[in-house]
């Protein structure tokens, strides 16, 4: 069985997929705490499926994994020790940003309303949204929606964040601002972040370690730092990804 250590996530022989059909199998990897870890790969290779499995939204087909020493998350039991932010932000359109961020606090704590408001406001401040507490999701930009989603994921002070394509669809300046937010969470708060991404500028700017999945190989084809994969991995699929060129292998 998986033995918890200082690692945020450990997986052994993990197979993931849908309806008993594996799209990735034999996945062995470790994610250290206190860093930013990226799940990379081409479209349709199973990046989001892996993220959904690690967060308990999807049951694994086989194999074992452990998250923060608690084993596989069971969302039916109670609050997991991590936060999740979805690609769209997934905010409730009829509630303000403050109310959206307050949702986990209202659901999982018995804090008075004043304390919940203060905590939710502090989370919005952390992600650079001070002054936008009373705005509705439709009244802010796409980048602000993503940051508000991260603020909600931080509401319960989790030790780990799981993010699905946080920079997708953002302009370069907004993407850099979001990168800075994630780096701040790592450097100042010690939050471990696991993200799915294909944005090379963000990968080289803030990611500490990564793995790459391949759809045809049905497994991991590379693991290491972004620089190691770009400069010292001769697999043509890895080189195609990191150098933005067709794979003719």
């Amino acid at each position: 069985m998986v033995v918890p250590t200082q690692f945020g996530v450990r997986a052994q022989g993990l197979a993931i997929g849908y309806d008993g059909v594996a799209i990735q199998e034999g996945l062995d990897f470790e994610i250290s705490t206190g860093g930013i870890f990226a799940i990379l790969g081409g479209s349709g290779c199973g990046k989001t499926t892996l993220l959904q499995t690690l967060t308990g939204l999807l049951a694994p087909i086989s194999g074992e994994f452990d998250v923060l020493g608690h084993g596989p998350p069971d969302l039916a039991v109670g609050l997991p020790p991590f936060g999740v932010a979805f690609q769209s932000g997934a905010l409730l359109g009829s509630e303000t940003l403050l109310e959206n961020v307050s949702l986990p606090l209202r659901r999982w704590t018995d804090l008075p309303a004043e304390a919940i408001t203060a905590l939710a406001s502090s989370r919005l401040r952390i992600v650079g949204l001070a002054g936008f507490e009373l705005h509705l999701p439709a009244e802010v930009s796409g980048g602000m929606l993503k940051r508000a989603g991260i603020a909600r994921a931080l509401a319960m002070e989790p030790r780990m964040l799981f993010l699905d394509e946080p920079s997708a669809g953002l302009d370069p300046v907004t993407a850099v601002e979001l990168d800075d937010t994630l780096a701040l969470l790592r450097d100042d708060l010690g939050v471990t972040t696991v993200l799915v991404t294909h944005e090379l500028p963000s990968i080289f700017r803030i990611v500490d370690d990564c793995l790459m999945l391949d759809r045809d190989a049905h497994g991991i084809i590379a693991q290491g730092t972004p620089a190691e994969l770009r400069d010292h991995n001769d697999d043509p699929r890895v080189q195609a990804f990191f150098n933005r060129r067709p794979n003719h292998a």
Side-chain angles (χ1 to χ4, degrees), residues 86-218:
F86 301 96
Q87 185 176 153
S88 64
L91 302 181
L92 298 178
S94 61
E95 299 203 352
T96 66
L97 299 189
L98 182 67
E99 290 170 332
N100 270 281
V101 176
S102 298
L103 281 173
L105 295 163
R106 297 202 304 263
R107 170 64 177 84
W108 295 105
T109 77
D110 56 2
L111 291 171
E114 295 82 2
I116 289 177
T117 296
L119 285 170
S121 296
S122 73
R123 303 300 182 265
L124 287 167
R125 186 166 58 251
I126 286 172
V127 299
L129 291 177
F132 292 89
E133 292 87 350
L134 302 183
H135 285 62
L136 292 170
E139 297 172 335
V140 299
S141 68
M144 295 168 76
L145 284 177
K146 288 179 181 286
R147 281 187 280 161
I150 294 172
R152 185 175 61 186
L154 289 169
M156 299 295 292
E157 297 186 337
R159 295 163 53 196
M160 177 175 286
L161 286 178
F162 289 94
L163 309 179
D164 190 8
E165 296 282 7
S167 299
L170 300 183
D171 66 82
V173 173
T174 303
V176 167
E177 292 173 347
L178 184 57
D179 289 346
D180 289 344
T181 297
L182 298 181
L184 175 70
L185 295 175
R186 174 193 61 196
D187 299 338
D188 288 6
L189 301 180
V191 175
T192 303
T193 299
V194 181
L195 57 89
V196 168
T197 186
H198 60 266
E199 302 289 340
L200 287 176
S202 294
I203 291 168
F204 285 109
R205 193 161 187 263
I206 63 170
V207 169
D208 300 300
D209 206 1
C210 56
L211 64 79
M212 179 174 290
L213 302 175
D214 183 75
R215 181 176 56 188
D216 296 328
H218 301 288

